[in-house]
Amino acid sequence: MINNVRKTVLSVLNKNNYGYISPDDFNMYARQAQLDVFESYFYSFNKAVNFTNQRIAGTDYADLVEKIEQDIDTFHVTNALTVNPAGGYFAPSLTTTGDEAYMIMGLDLLNDAGMFVGGATRISNSKVRALVASNLTAPSFSSAVYTENNGTFTTYPATVGAGNLEAKYVRYPAEPKWTYLSFGNGEPLFNGSATDFQDFEVSPSEESELINKILQMAGMSIREIKVVETADKEEEQRKTNKTK
Amino acid sequence: MAYLSEYEYYANGGAAPTDSNWGEYQYVGLEDVVRNYKLMYTGNTSLVNNVENFKILFHAKRAIQELNYDAFKEIKTMELEVADSLRFVLPLDYVNYVRISLVRGGILYPLQQNTQLLSATSYLQEDNGQLNLDVANGGILTEETSELELAGGVKLFQSGTGSDAIYSNKHPQFTIDKARGVINFTSGMSGETCLVEYISDGMEGGDDSLITVNKMFEEYLYAYITYSILDSKLGVQEYVVRRALKKKTALLRNARIRISDIHPGRLLQQIRAMGNTIK
């Protein structure tokens, strides 16, 4: 998808000789555009849920909640957490799980045989002491909780064994990278088999959105107000259609 | 909890104790209740949403406690010999008693509680009558067991003639000292075996994995949790709360009828027995 997006962006920019953006600039804009689209999933999801609760959402192909859930589920991962030698477990990160977490959905506790035995839910640091002290809410292996402090999860009870804790979370999308082969002074040629190639991870249905967002940023970069205005208008139109 | 095979049920899969799964099917565990509730009754399109897990757990446990107090027929028993101190320490998970009996020759003799039976804290005194003070802790030194307790308590003086018919009983009597957590008996219980039938709150010493509830009450538990959450949540319409309350109350009534063990055969036997002439 990334090559199509770049070709379209360049096609629009080159029209009337507005300008040109380099592969590095394109990758930078692509990253930002993808993050914008990714974030918008969650706001759209909330809106779709409200529509459903107001009974103005349809089913089957009109089931927006289902569609957005599918889009978000692409980024839903489950990874084992690494023990922090200073106590607790490291939160998902590039160095421990290989990706950054956008939203932690909960932790799963597994027994030695790898079977699910219960979940741990997040609790705010301000409440945890009272929760542990109360007989009726004291966490157990089947109703565990965790707090997050400076990138470290602390579980209650703390007896959960190393390697038996998995985090369920929505990760950030990987940074898109349009890779190319360079031939002297000529136009860089797309190389989809480069080891560091990374396509967009958001749904292909977001291609127009990505093009518009990249065009906005490219238009600002080359100081061409018409490009920004056109992209803005396009994006507004798409947003209106989505919320109708 | 997953369904058990017959081998697991009857013999615990060969592991000891082999009887640990007997009758297990009557009950549903707290963990299952909380898990099922979260799956079926909470969510974006449900009446209950944005509620923390510990709140569900809290209300589930509160519901089980309430059921244990007055709806379940889960009576625990404890048998002990009453020593010369005439004192019986209440069981660890004691909340209230159902019946306290004297066991003699394999027969239970229910004892009567005498609310007029008093016991007292005995303060240590000097010869001149001054109280012995505990200077280090700022209190008064007391005897471990008062003379009244060793004598089985003291009865309130009754004005008028004759004994109080309410407390006329040839067997020993008892009184419960809730503050000290003991049952005090009259002297006739010394060396006798006592059986305490009592109710607990079902919390199984804080081990959530052991807390269970009869399946007859499962739907009531869900209704109780829903009502409790809606009742304490800001902005929930009053009619929604009242609807939840009605559902909870109706389900409790249904469950009580179900668990009351009214069997037609036994009812018939009772009616037949009514016609018998007592000779």
Side-chain angles (χ1 to χ4, degrees), chain B residues 2-53:
Chain B
Y3 287 107
L4 298 176
S5 68
E6 292 193 334
Y7 179 50
E8 285 168 327
Y9 177 74
Y10 288 109
N12 195 19
T18 52
D19 61 353
S20 66
N21 290 327
W22 294 358
E24 180 265 346
Y25 201 69
Q26 300 166 83
Y27 301 96
V28 56
L30 173 71
E31 293 165 10
D32 278 339
V33 168
V34 172
R35 202 175 295 143
N36 291 344
Y37 187 84
K38 276 162 63 183
L39 279 172
M40 305 313 299
Y41 294 93
T42 69
N44 282 322
T45 52
S46 301
L47 206 52
V48 175
N49 62 357
N50 293 345
V51 60
E52 290 104 328
N53 193 53

Side-chain angles (χ1 to χ4, degrees), chain B residues 10-214:
Chain B
Y10 288 109
N12 195 19
T18 52
D19 61 353
S20 66
N21 290 327
W22 294 358
E24 180 265 346
Y25 201 69
Q26 300 166 83
Y27 301 96
V28 56
L30 173 71
E31 293 165 10
D32 278 339
V33 168
V34 172
R35 202 175 295 143
N36 291 344
Y37 187 84
K38 276 162 63 183
L39 279 172
M40 305 313 299
Y41 294 93
T42 69
N44 282 322
T45 52
S46 301
L47 206 52
V48 175
N49 62 357
N50 293 345
V51 60
E52 290 104 328
N53 193 53
F54 68 85
K55 287 190 179 171
I56 298 174
L57 183 72
F58 171 81
H59 291 303
K61 284 185 177 177
R62 283 291 302 117
I64 292 172
Q65 285 183 322
E66 290 295 329
L67 289 174
N68 270 279
Y69 299 150
D70 62 4
F72 284 167
K73 295 185 167 184
E74 309 277 331
I75 294 166
K76 295 189 167 191
T77 54
M78 187 177 181
E79 182 192 307
L80 274 179
E81 194 178 299
V82 179
D84 290 343
S85 64
L86 298 173
R87 177 183 275 189
F88 191 114
V89 180
L90 294 173
L92 174 72
D93 53 351
Y94 172 92
V95 172
N96 205 354
Y97 82 92
V98 176
R99 186 171 54 179
I100 295 176
S101 313
L102 161 69
V103 187
R104 198 181 280 160
I107 297 172
L108 282 184
Y109 298 94
L111 301 182
Q112 199 167 27
Q113 183 180 15
N114 190 334
T115 52
Q116 295 191 340
L117 207 58
L118 301 176
S119 59
T121 304
S122 177
Y123 292 133
L124 287 177
Q125 290 173 286
E126 301 288 355
D127 290 342
N128 60 4
Q130 268 194 331
L131 291 173
N132 258 343
L133 298 175
D134 181 1
V135 180
N137 296 314
I140 301 173
L141 293 172
T142 58
E143 286 184 39
E144 222 168 80
T145 313
S146 78
E147 284 180 28
L148 291 182
E149 281 168 345
L150 287 171
V154 61
K155 286 182 183 174
L156 281 181
F157 174 73
Q158 296 290 322
S159 60
T161 54
S163 62
D164 190 343
I166 301 170
Y167 301 110
S168 295
N169 194 310
K170 71 170 184 176
H171 296 302
Q173 295 175 344
F174 69 92
T175 184
I176 296 179
D177 190 340
K178 288 178 186 167
R180 291 190 192 175
V182 293
I183 305 170
N184 289 318
F185 293 96
T186 52
S187 50
M189 274 300 280
S190 180
E192 298 280 4
T193 304
C194 170
L195 188 82
V196 178
E197 292 163 85
Y198 68 99
I199 51 166
S200 182
D201 63 354
M203 291 296 104
E204 304 297 337
D207 187 345
D208 288 0
S209 64
L210 298 179
I211 299 175
T212 56
V213 64
N214 193 293

